[in-house]
Amino acid sequence: MSSKGSKQKLFIHWRYMLVMAVVCLVFTALVVKAAFIQVIAPEQALREGDLRSIRTKTAYSERGIITDRLGHELAVSVPVRAIWADPKHVVEQNSFENTEAWAALAKVLDIDVESLQARVSNPKRRFVYLQRQVSGAVADYVEKLKIKGVYLKPESRRFYPTGEVSAHLVGFTNIDDHGLEGIERSYDDWLTGEPGKRQVRKDRKGRVVEDLAVIQQAKPAQNIALSIDQRIQAIAYRELKKAVAETKATSGSVVVLDIDTGEVLAMANSPSFNPNDRKQFQSYRYRNRAITDSYEPGSTVKPLSVIAALERDQISVSSTIDTNPGWMQIGGRRVRDSRNYGEINLTKVIQKSSNVATSQLALKVGVEGMLDTFYAVGFGNDAGLGLVGESGGQMPQRRRWSDFELATLSFGYGLMVTPLQLAQAYATMGSGGIFRPTSVIKLEKPVAGERVFEESKAKAVLQMMESVIQDGGTGQKAAVPGYRVAGKTGTSRKAVRGGYGDDYVAIFAGVAPVSNPKLAIVVFVNEPKTDHYYGGDVAAPVFSKVMQGGLQYLNVAPDEQGSQVVQLQGADHGNT
């Protein structure tokens, strides 16, 4: 017994010593580890702790507002939310076990459950968007599902209150709020603020427990006030859309300029699109044709041909031109009028739109004189709006010019201009010969401009153009009750390979009121398909409605004294 008892005591003693030795080793290891962490390499522990707890928090920055000149909102940002998931959290927390919640989430996102779960099943990924820009109601519903690993984050969606009316000019953004077209794209940096960033410490549940530092101060986005008057814009779009539909035209454009400042008061195109509906985002719809598409301006440049001759003293205001017998042979080719006008003065040249008369003027002025006149009013250069896709049109560049090519230049063939460029040219004539750059941003004060024509000669041509709207002119349907209107029709045949085809562009360009011009308006209707395709029939009525509405909204006093005769039927088209 004593031998057995001594063995048992020895075993107990050995086991006690072993336990004590293990405890001492563990304690020693802990002391060594603590000493290493706190004394020898404390930075490493702090760094690892910071990696787990310190995060950079970004403050949301809302995109700037776009308004018209009167403060009416054209583009605003609406707060929405995005649904996203952390696949690592989804897998680690066995989130898929909540089958009812996932089924409900799939239903509200309009996707099958298997596809939804497959998107978040890879634990190596840490961020996956499930759906962007959802409404507050959907976000609240998803939040109530309490699915582990599925979260919400704030973002914004661009909303355009005026829809298709101002769509081409304002443009639109992508889902990440970056501008893609129009003002949204051209002024994207201005409209986009810089979000603020701060360093914070979070606990294991993601709650902020400490603000550490400000990394970047937030820079608020800037708002933009456009030169557009939405009231005039709405009229322009309504009348243009109606005309394009009635004539079954391919497209159309209207540009309204403030003659005193060069500001764009309206710029409408048809067909248009609703920027709030991304299903309508097709390239042929959202192209701003008023600045991207170029056309041969036809007879609308004839007033410029007259000015070119007056400026170079080739003729005087009282001069007459013999157009007998209604045609003329130039270099083996023939230029003709619709009938023989005989010997006519300059007013009749513009009123009857005589090709023979303007050809004679061009031959007197010469190539350089004609081109210099066109360049002086902005042809060949973009109008400087700063919008993406703006075209400078096309001015002919030749080493040698035939007389026939020079003659056709005088009545608007052989060069191409955009609707905006033609509007700028007419604004120059309306201002008494002062060329001003155009602007789509509201100006604080008018630009002085540059004189390119003598005032007396520009005003004389303006009075000649007034006859186009009077009895016997080609643009009687452009008349505006109570106001004197000066303008010019144009019916330009569209070029095809090898010559000219059977499609036309109906144009009317003009200014009002003649006594003190305030607005310059240009209307283009591209490829009307009905029997009425003349500028005086198709474009002039649109001009009349837009000009009437614009002058009334701007409170411009009537200047007609009852001497102007207006007939809406039976116009002599002549060479429109």
Side-chain angles (χ1 to χ4, degrees):
M1 287 293 293
S2 60
S3 176
K4 186 177 181 180
S6 61
K7 287 182 179 181
Q8 188 174 8
K9 286 183 178 181
L10 182 61
F11 175 74
I12 293 172
H13 177 72
W14 175 83
R15 188 172 62 179
Y16 173 77
M17 294 302 293
L18 179 62
V19 171
M20 290 300 295
V22 170
V23 170
C24 290
L25 287 173
V26 170
F27 181 76
T28 303
L30 291 174
V31 171
V32 172
K33 182 65 174 178
F36 178 79
I37 292 174
Q38 296 184 34
V39 179
I40 300 175
E43 296 82 3
Q44 182 179 350
L46 291 173
R47 184 169 58 253
E48 291 180 357
D50 289 344
L51 289 174
R52 290 172 172 80
S53 62
I54 293 180
R55 297 290 181 266
T56 298
K57 194 173 181 64
T58 302
Y60 172 71
S61 177
E62 200 169 75
R63 192 173 177 84
I65 298 173
I66 301 175
T67 67
D68 78 340
R69 65 186 303 108
L70 301 176
H72 299 139
E73 293 178 341
L74 305 179
V76 296
S77 293
V78 179
V80 290
R81 301 173 83 179
I83 305 171
W84 66 282
D86 184 339
K88 184 177 181 180
H89 287 178
V90 170
V91 174
E92 287 180 350
Q93 299 181 47
N94 299 319
S95 179
F96 293 140
E97 293 180 357
N98 191 353
T99 55
E100 292 183 359
W102 279 98
L105 179 61
K107 185 176 181 179
V108 77
L109 298 183
D110 194 23
I111 186 174
D112 60 271
V113 178
E114 291 77 12
S115 299
L116 179 61
Q117 292 183 343
R119 292 169 61 184
V120 296
S121 59
N122 184 1
K124 293 182 179 180
R125 302 183 66 183
R126 299 303 309 270
F127 186 95
V128 175
Y129 274 121
L130 300 183
Q131 191 160 334
R132 305 283 303 277
Q133 298 185 348
V134 300
S135 64
V138 173
D140 292 341
Y141 179 77
V142 172
E143 194 169 28
K144 291 177 181 178
L145 293 176
K146 295 182 179 179
I147 301 176
K148 296 177 180 179
V150 176
Y151 309 101
L152 298 167
K153 62 176 290 190
E155 59 180 6
S156 68
R157 179 175 61 206
R158 208 65 164 158
F159 176 67
Y160 303 93
T162 59
E164 63 183 25
V165 175
S166 307
H168 293 101
L169 185 60
V170 177
F172 54 88
T173 62
N174 61 14
I175 199 168
D176 292 316
D177 237 11
H178 296 300
L180 295 181
E181 289 290 335
I183 293 294
E184 292 278 32
R185 178 174 177 179
S186 297
Y187 292 86
D188 189 52
D189 291 341
W190 184 265
L191 291 165
T192 304
E194 294 182 6
K197 295 181 180 180
R198 60 192 180 99
Q199 196 175 61
V200 299
R201 191 181 300 278
K202 293 185 176 182
D203 63 11
R204 60 186 300 271
K205 293 185 178 181
R207 297 171 298 190
V208 177
V209 295
E210 184 183 4
D211 266 311
L212 299 177
V214 175
I215 299 175
Q216 178 179 302
Q217 291 286 354
K219 181 181 178 182
Q222 301 296 315
N223 299 327
I224 290 181
L226 301 185
S227 61
I228 297 301
D229 187 322
Q230 188 58 32
R231 302 169 302 176
I232 302 175
Q233 176 77 16
I235 295 175
Y237 178 70
R238 181 189 67 202
E239 296 301 326
L240 178 66
K241 183 178 180 181
K242 180 181 177 183
V244 168
E246 289 178 348
T247 61
K248 300 177 182 178
T250 301
S251 61
S253 299
V254 174
V255 176
V256 181
L257 292 184
D258 185 322
I259 292 176
D260 293 331
T261 65
E263 292 173 298
V264 179
L265 297 181
M267 182 181 288
N269 297 277
S270 182
S272 188
F273 66 100
N274 185 353
N276 299 307
D277 182 6
R278 294 185 179 272
K279 294 178 182 178
Q280 295 188 21
F281 284 16
Q282 297 143 326
S283 59
Y284 81 95
R285 283 185 176 273
Y286 61 69
R287 187 170 77 248
N288 188 350
R289 300 172 188 271
I291 63 171
T292 63
D293 291 9
S294 300
Y295 309 88
E296 288 181 306
S299 296
T300 57
V301 303
K302 287 177 179 176
L304 292 175
S305 299
V306 174
I307 284 185
L310 289 172
E311 283 284 311
R312 287 155 185 81
D313 296 324
Q314 296 297 325
I315 55 172
S316 66
V317 174
S318 59
S319 295
T320 60
I321 300 175
D322 187 2
T323 66
N324 284 301
W327 56 269
M328 63 184 295
Q329 201 78 12
I330 304 177
R333 304 183 70 174
R334 182 170 291 185
V335 173
R336 65 175 68 247
D337 290 336
S338 60
R339 61 186 177 88
N340 183 8
Y341 297 117
E343 187 170 341
I344 55 178
N345 58 25
L346 296 181
T347 297
K348 287 293 183 181
V349 169
I350 293 178
Q351 183 187 48
K352 299 300 183 181
S353 197
S354 172
N355 294 336
V356 174
T358 56
S359 295
Q360 292 182 39
L361 294 179
L363 293 174
K364 291 180 179 180
V365 172
V367 173
E368 290 187 6
M370 291 297 297
L371 293 181
D372 286 347
T373 300
F374 291 155
Y375 282 125
V377 295
F379 292 176
N381 297 299
D382 65 64
L385 291 187
L387 298 179
V388 175
E390 186 176 350
S391 170
Q394 183 177 338
M395 288 290 286
Q397 303 292 332
R398 298 187 179 95
R399 291 185 177 180
R400 295 182 180 179
W401 286 75
S402 69
D403 288 344
F404 182 78
E405 289 170 338
L406 176 56
T408 58
L409 201 63
S410 73
F411 49 86
Y413 285 87
L415 73 157
M416 302 187 78
V417 301
T418 65
L420 176 61
Q421 287 177 311
L422 189 60
Q424 189 176 30
Y426 271 70
T428 301
M429 289 188 284
S431 66
I434 298 176
F435 175 83
R436 289 186 176 89
T438 59
S439 174
V440 75
I441 304 299
K442 182 180 178 180
L443 300 177
E444 295 299 326
K445 59 180 181 179
V447 178
E450 176 188 359
R451 177 162 295 283
V452 294
F453 303 136
E454 287 185 29
E455 184 176 6
S456 60
K457 294 175 180 178
K459 287 184 175 180
V461 173
L462 210 62
Q463 292 176 359
M464 296 174 194
M465 286 194 290
E466 191 176 0
S467 67
V468 173
I469 286 80
Q470 296 173 350
D471 186 21
T474 59
Q476 296 175 55
K477 293 181 180 179
V480 179
Y483 295 92
R484 296 169 57 196
V485 177
K488 186 70 187 77
T489 57
T491 308
S492 174
R493 202 169 185 178
K494 297 195 72 173
V496 296
R497 180 174 294 181
Y500 287 88
D502 297 326
D503 291 323
Y504 295 85
V505 180
I507 311 168
F508 191 90
V511 303
V514 173
S515 60
N516 185 20
K518 293 297 182 184
L519 297 181
I521 299 179
V522 166
V523 180
F524 278 68
V525 179
N526 182 31
E527 298 179 2
K529 299 297 191 298
T530 62
D531 293 336
H532 300 286
Y533 55 83
Y534 291 107
D537 288 328
V538 177
V542 177
F543 172 92
S544 175
K545 294 292 186 181
V546 178
M547 181 64 81
Q548 182 178 8
L551 293 175
Q552 289 176 351
Y553 278 129
L554 297 178
N555 294 319
V556 178
D559 65 339
E560 187 179 20
Q561 300 300 322
S563 60
Q564 186 172 345
V565 180
V566 177
Q567 292 182 348
L568 297 183
Q569 302 293 332
D572 178 9
H573 294 299
N575 298 336
T576 60

